[in-house]
Amino acid sequence: MNYLTILSALAGGAMIGLSAALLLFTHKHTAGISGIAAGLLPPWREASVWRGWFLAGLLASAPLYRLSGADIALDLDAGPGLLAIAGLLVGYGTRLGGGCTSGHGVCGIARLSIRSIVATLTFMLTAGITVFIVRHLL
């Protein structure tokens, strides 16, 4: 790990925290991506406009980063079908868990929500077990 990686991680974390705080204080909503995306599905509500802008900002971030001259290294060993199945499973898991890692991990833990702390611990434990199985047992 080099010094630049640490600084960019700190800057990224600070920006995520700042954006989550701004969303909470200006719109009274937590920055849970699954909840924001679900709010764009029918039936539409008046508050859908900010959700669209929020998601547009997320989608625009990678191309804007590339415009700065930086390179994004992406190496996927999975095909489109497997990625689609993985996406559906993640979507199902966010509904089952009542939110995603951004909502629980960033916003929920910051609010000292026991439910979010348990959910985030479950996400992380499951991820660790999955990586161990895939890398060491399969």
Side-chain angles (χ1 to χ4, degrees), residues 1 39-40 45 60 69 72-73 76 78 91 97 102 104 108 118 123-124 131-132:
M1 179 176 280
L40 287 173
R45 298 183 292 248
I72 299 173
L76 297 174
S102 58
H104 286 301
V118 170
F123 298 152
M124 299 307 290
V131 168
F132 179 80

Side-chain angles (χ1 to χ4, degrees), residues 43-83:
W44 289 285
R45 298 183 292 248
E46 239 178 74
S48 293
V49 173
W50 72 265
R51 295 172 190 272
W53 283 110
F54 188 93
L55 291 176
L58 285 177
L59 295 173
S61 63
L64 288 173
Y65 183 71
R66 293 217 43 192
L67 283 176
S68 74
D71 189 31
I72 299 173
L74 185 60
D75 183 25
L76 297 174
D77 292 333
L82 186 59
L83 290 174

Side-chain angles (χ1 to χ4, degrees), residues 52-135:
W53 283 110
F54 188 93
L55 291 176
L58 285 177
L59 295 173
S61 63
L64 288 173
Y65 183 71
R66 293 217 43 192
L67 283 176
S68 74
D71 189 31
I72 299 173
L74 185 60
D75 183 25
L76 297 174
D77 292 333
L82 186 59
L83 290 174
I85 291 170
L88 290 172
L89 287 172
V90 168
Y92 175 73
T94 59
R95 296 308 285 176
L96 185 66
C100 58
T101 51
S102 58
H104 286 301
V106 175
C107 301
I109 290 177
R111 294 182 295 118
L112 300 177
S113 165
I114 299 298
R115 178 175 161 245
S116 291
I117 292 168
V118 170
T120 304
L121 288 172
T122 303
F123 298 152
M124 299 307 290
L125 181 64
T126 304
I129 291 169
T130 302
V131 168
F132 179 80
I133 290 171
V134 170
R135 291 202 175 178

Side-chain angles (χ1 to χ4, degrees), residues 14-26 29-31 54 102 106-107:
M15 287 190 283
I16 290 170
L18 179 62
S19 65
L22 284 172
L23 183 63
L24 182 63
F25 294 136
T26 59
H29 290 282
T30 57
F54 188 93
S102 58
V106 175
C107 301

